[in-house]
């Protein structure tokens, strides 16, 4: 690639006419409704303009983030209305939704999926324009989410079918099923606005909970095409939306004591603050995906080409804006020079450009505050003795930031411990593997780690302490969440609870049971309830 500088980055931004027709948004979306109590309620108050990470070149040559629409900025009054609608729909567990059979709830969800799939093109386009994710990755996010929803339905059928029978122990007959928890406040992140939001929203709904949903700060408009589908596929009040600054309405909703589950993908600092707002914190279940700073430990006998490929993907997919991204590379000193040479050579081949471009890897960040943070972190490392070792690393124009490989990063630099969540790759050398282990042990984060090497004895000895520090140790591959049937969890400041297709159903429910003495009278009573279909809970039906 030719030299990257401010001017060459600036030229990558198109003028409005240069945006390919198929990638254009048909028109800006000015959302003026929110879904509450089964109605799309109009909004006439203040609105927030949505600026795309993508800048467009103006006739005078300046580039500016493109305004792609706007959405309501609500307050406590509206969050109270959304929360009260969810509370009413749950109706202390007596509402239509929590008392529906599992098969009926699945029916509603299947209807919703059909309506959602019909909106694929628009939602994919909005993901791309709202968060700057490449078209290919935006499509993957949508399709992976639908696959996740279908898999969740299958997992729920299995779960319910396996519980659809009586069990007898010590003279007691029991029928045990999973039941909802109540009202769930659901908040997803901007980097996977659809997928990670739905990874909690969908299981929460399927288990019979009602929901207040607050979209992420970047990635709000993409839910607009789904509001009618939510309204039409589910009973009123089962899903309610709120568009408001989180700091204003979220503590307020929690302080009401009416939220039973907090499902948040965000920062541990925010999660700690929010949990404390609930007047009876033991009543609040928290399902949290939080901070992470996954490290790669690169041993002297690592397959260099494979390691470079995986680390590049791990550190820079979606510009490093993944909670699972590799955010620190710990490389054995004996190979660090060679590693850096090959890593920076391969990095230089990555295509920088606009999200709709074929083969693009590096795309614009959500706002200029992010490029400012990246620059600050690099300046801090430079002031403390590190340098940028790849050509043009750290060069930026507006929202487009060229990845920087920073070496040698050490304790005391921002990049050593802070989660950069962007296109900076900190590299630190180590002499003794104990130093690398100590880095992970001393970290506040505990999501995943990657080990690159080939000696079974050394890798085996590293795995044992590491599995007690993080929740997934990846061998010779990058860190990642998928496959979605695997448990996704974290220790320390990285998570609370475990998510996967099956685990999420458990996370949003609790077992409840009906029990009776094993007497003839009880048997006759239970049999009659089942045969006459007097209860939805006491049934032995099988969902096919
Ligand atoms: O941002 C965190 C995501 O859950 C990561 O998912 O590893 O599939 O990119 P991923």
């Amino acid at each position: 690639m030719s030299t990257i500088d401010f001017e060459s980055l600036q030229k990558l931004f198109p003028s409005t006419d240069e945006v390919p027709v198929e990638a254009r948004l048909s028109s800006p979306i000015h959302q003026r409704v929110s879904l509450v109590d089964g109605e799309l309620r109009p909004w006439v108050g203040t609105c927030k303009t949505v600026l795309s990470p993508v800048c467009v070149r103006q006739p005078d040559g300046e580039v500016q983030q493109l305004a792609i629409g706007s959405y309501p900025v609500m307050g406590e009054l509206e969050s109270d209305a959304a929360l009260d609608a969810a509370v009413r729909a749950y109706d202390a567990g007596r509402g239509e939704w929590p008392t529906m059979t599992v098969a009926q709830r699945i029916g509603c969800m299947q209807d919703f999926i059909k309506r959602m799939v019909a909106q694929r093109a628009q939602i994919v386009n909005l993901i791309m324009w709202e968060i700057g994710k490449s078209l290919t990755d935006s499509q993957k996010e949508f399709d992976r989410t639908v696959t996740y929803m279908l898999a969740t339905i299958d997992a729920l059928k299995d779960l319910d079918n396996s519980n659809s029978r009586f069990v007898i122990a010590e003279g007691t007959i029991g029928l045990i099923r999973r039941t909802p928890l109540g009202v769930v406040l659901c908040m997803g992140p901007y980097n996977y606005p659809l997928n990670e939001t739905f990874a909690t929203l969908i299981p929460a709904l399927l288990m019979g909970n009602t929901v207040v949903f607050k979209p992420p700060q970047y990635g709000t408009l993409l839910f607009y095409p789904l509001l009618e589908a939510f309204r039409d596929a589910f009973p009123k009040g089962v899903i309610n939306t709120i568009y408001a600054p989180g700091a204003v309405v979220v503590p307020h909703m929690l302080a009401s004591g009416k939220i039973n589950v907090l499902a948040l993908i965000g920062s541990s600092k925010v999660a700690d603050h929010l949990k404390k707002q609930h007047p009876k914190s033991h009543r609040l279940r928290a399902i949290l995906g939080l901070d992470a700073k996954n490290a790669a430990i690169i041993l002297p006998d690592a397959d260099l080409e494979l390691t470079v490929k995986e680390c590049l993907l791990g550190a820079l997919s979606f510009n490093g804006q993944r909670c699972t991204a590799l955010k620190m590379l710990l490389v054995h000193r004996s190979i660090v020079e060679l590693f850096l040479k090959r890593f920076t050579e391969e990095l230089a081949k990555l295509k920088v450009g606009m999200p709709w471009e074929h083969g693009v890897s590096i795309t614009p960040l959500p706002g200029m505050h992010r490029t400012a943070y990246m620059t600050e972190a690099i300046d801090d490392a430079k002031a403390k003795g590190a340098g940028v070792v790849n050509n043009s690393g750290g060069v930026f124009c507006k929202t487009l930031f060229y990845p920087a490989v920073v070496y040698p990063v050490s304790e005391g630099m921002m990049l050593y411990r802070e989660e950069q969540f962007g296109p900076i790759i900190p590299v630190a050398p180590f002499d003794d593997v104990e130093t690398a282990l100590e880095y992970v042990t001393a970290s506040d984060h505990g999501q995943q780690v990657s080990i690159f090497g080939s000696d079974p004895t050394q890798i085996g000895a590293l795995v044992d302490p590491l599995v007690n520090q993080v929740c997934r140790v990846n061998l010779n591959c990058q860190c990642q969440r998928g496959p979605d049937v695997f448990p996704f969890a974290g220790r320390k400041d990285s998570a609370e609870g475990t998510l996967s297709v099956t685990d999420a159903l458990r996370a949003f429910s609790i077992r409840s049971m009906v029990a009776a003495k094993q007497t003839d009278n009880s048997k006759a009573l239970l049999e009659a309830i089942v045969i006459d279909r007097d209860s939805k809970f006491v049934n032995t039906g099988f969902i096919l």
Side-chain angles (χ1 to χ4, degrees):
M1 186 163 217
S2 51
T3 310
I4 303 263
D5 54 18
F6 176 87
E7 281 74 28
S8 63
L9 289 179
Q10 191 176 39
K11 281 192 192 132
L12 294 174
F13 289 118
S15 66
T16 321
D17 295 345
E18 284 164 354
V19 177
V21 176
E22 61 284 4
R24 290 182 195 167
L25 282 174
S26 41
S27 57
I29 293 183
H30 294 293
Q31 178 177 334
R32 293 292 179 271
V33 289
S34 67
L35 175 63
V36 177
D37 212 12
E39 290 170 10
L40 293 178
R41 294 201 177 157
W43 173 252
V44 287
T46 314
C47 289
K48 182 177 161 67
T49 300
V50 177
L51 293 179
S52 171
V54 174
C55 299
V56 287
R57 205 166 338 106
Q58 310 298 311
D60 62 2
E62 278 297 299
V63 291
Q64 270 174 20
Q65 285 182 258
L66 183 69
I68 55 170
S70 57
Y71 59 79
V73 181
M74 300 176 158
E76 291 180 355
L77 207 63
E78 291 75 27
S79 73
D80 284 347
L83 180 53
D84 289 345
V87 169
R88 268 197 307 280
Y90 192 69
D91 191 17
R94 299 177 66 181
E96 180 185 357
W97 186 246
T99 56
M100 256 190 200
T101 63
V102 168
Q104 286 168 323
R105 270 190 232 130
I106 287 175
C108 294
M109 189 58 78
Q110 284 166 332
D111 179 24
F112 175 73
I113 294 172
K114 259 192 231 137
R115 295 168 191 268
M116 172 174 165
V117 169
Q119 302 293 333
R120 181 181 185 273
Q122 198 186 359
I123 294 171
V124 165
N125 219 13
L126 281 167
I127 297 177
M128 186 176 82
W129 279 99
E130 265 194 290
I131 62 165
K133 187 172 276 193
S134 73
L135 175 61
T136 317
D137 284 349
S138 301
Q139 287 165 335
K140 273 191 209 154
E141 175 164 352
F142 185 94
D143 296 340
R144 175 183 178 180
T145 306
V146 172
T147 305
Y148 183 93
M149 294 165 84
L150 295 171
T152 305
I153 288 176
D154 285 344
L156 178 56
K157 281 184 190 169
D158 287 347
L159 180 68
D160 198 64
N161 285 338
S162 65
N163 292 336
S164 209
R165 63 193 189 92
F166 291 102
V167 285
I168 299 175
E170 297 173 28
T172 302
I173 307 171
L175 193 137
I176 309 162
R177 278 208 144 83
R178 299 202 72 94
T179 56
L181 294 162
V183 175
V184 178
L185 173 59
C186 190
M187 291 181 288
Y190 84 80
N191 62 334
Y192 279 88
L194 183 71
N195 183 263
E196 291 226 53
T197 303
F198 275 27
T200 58
L201 183 78
I202 299 305
L205 287 174
L206 276 171
M207 293 315 292
N209 303 284
T210 60
V211 171
V212 176
F213 162 47
K214 192 187 103 50
Q217 190 188 357
Y218 311 106
T220 296
L221 293 178
L222 65 98
F223 292 100
Y224 181 55
L226 291 176
L227 293 185
E228 286 183 6
F230 279 133
R231 180 195 63 192
D232 297 340
F234 299 104
K236 71 172 192 168
V238 168
I239 171 150
N240 308 279
T241 56
I242 176 72
Y243 304 89
V248 176
V249 297
V250 179
H252 174 74
M253 283 193 276
L254 283 158
S256 72
K258 295 176 187 171
I259 304 265
N260 304 99
V261 186
L262 171 64
L264 165 74
I265 315 294
S267 80
S268 61
K269 210 170 133 205
V270 168
D272 281 346
H273 172 67
L274 293 181
K275 282 173 74 170
K276 287 187 198 129
Q277 307 306 310
H278 197 290
K280 291 195 177 187
S281 53
H282 59 273
R283 291 197 185 185
L284 182 71
R285 183 176 289 191
I287 318 289
L288 309 172
L290 306 172
D291 327 331
K293 176 100 174 169
N294 294 341
I297 301 176
I298 302 169
L299 300 166
D301 58 357
D303 174 337
L304 190 65
E305 292 309 305
L306 176 140
T307 306
V308 165
K309 180 173 156 270
E310 288 290 321
C311 287
L312 210 51
L313 274 176
L316 287 178
S317 301
F318 190 33
N319 313 306
Q321 300 171 110
R322 291 160 62 222
C323 62
T324 46
L326 287 174
K327 297 183 183 117
M328 169 60 84
L329 307 185
L330 304 166
V331 189
H332 193 268
R333 197 179 300 276
S334 63
I335 56 159
V336 73
E337 290 298 326
L338 197 53
F339 174 81
L340 285 171
K341 178 175 178 297
R342 287 293 301 120
F343 189 84
T344 51
E345 280 169 1
E346 290 303 309
L347 193 161
K349 295 179 189 166
L350 296 182
K351 181 169 173 178
V352 185
M354 296 301 109
W356 52 82
E357 289 176 32
H358 183 68
V360 74
S361 289
I362 305 301
T363 55
L365 302 180
M368 260 111 64
H369 61 295
R370 294 305 296 154
T371 47
Y373 172 82
M374 299 301 144
T375 306
E376 186 192 346
I378 292 174
D379 288 347
D380 170 78
K382 280 183 180 166
K384 292 170 184 159
V388 172
V389 298
N390 61 316
N391 285 337
S392 311
V395 169
F396 69 97
C397 171
K398 299 281 177 174
T399 51
L400 203 48
F401 187 94
Y402 192 71
V405 182
V406 183
Y407 176 82
V409 168
S410 57
E411 186 83 66
M413 297 178 186
M414 286 165 71
L415 285 171
Y416 194 70
R417 290 294 181 197
E418 282 184 28
E419 180 181 16
Q420 66 272 30
F421 214 77
I424 300 184
I425 305 101
V427 181
F430 69 88
D431 296 297
D432 180 351
V433 78
E434 205 43 53
T435 313
L437 197 52
E438 182 53 28
Y439 176 83
V440 179
T441 309
S443 172
D444 280 335
H445 308 95
Q447 191 195 64
Q448 299 188 17
V449 69
S450 289
I451 306 174
F452 293 91
S454 52
D455 175 11
T457 313
Q458 189 169 30
I459 292 181
L462 262 179
V463 163
D464 289 354
L466 284 172
V467 287
N468 294 342
Q469 282 296 324
V470 297
C471 285
R472 174 162 163 168
V473 177
N474 300 279
L475 303 182
N476 293 313
C477 58
Q478 62 153 320
C479 297
Q480 63 179 44
R481 176 183 179 138
D484 287 329
V485 290
F486 283 177
F488 183 52
R491 300 170 187 268
K492 300 191 253 185
D493 293 352
S494 285
E496 183 170 337
T498 300
L499 289 175
S500 75
V501 167
T502 48
D503 285 297
L505 293 173
R506 291 185 160 77
F508 289 100
S509 62
I510 188 166
R511 282 178 300 173
S512 190
M513 65 183 291
V514 169
K517 295 282 180 226
Q518 193 183 6
T519 61
D520 288 344
N521 281 349
S522 300
K523 286 185 208 167
L525 178 66
L526 289 169
E527 263 172 23
I529 293 175
V530 170
I531 289 165
D532 301 342
R533 296 178 189 272
D534 291 319
S535 162
K536 288 173 185 151
F537 187 93
V538 183
N539 87 75
T540 54
F542 195 92
I543 310 170
L544 291 171

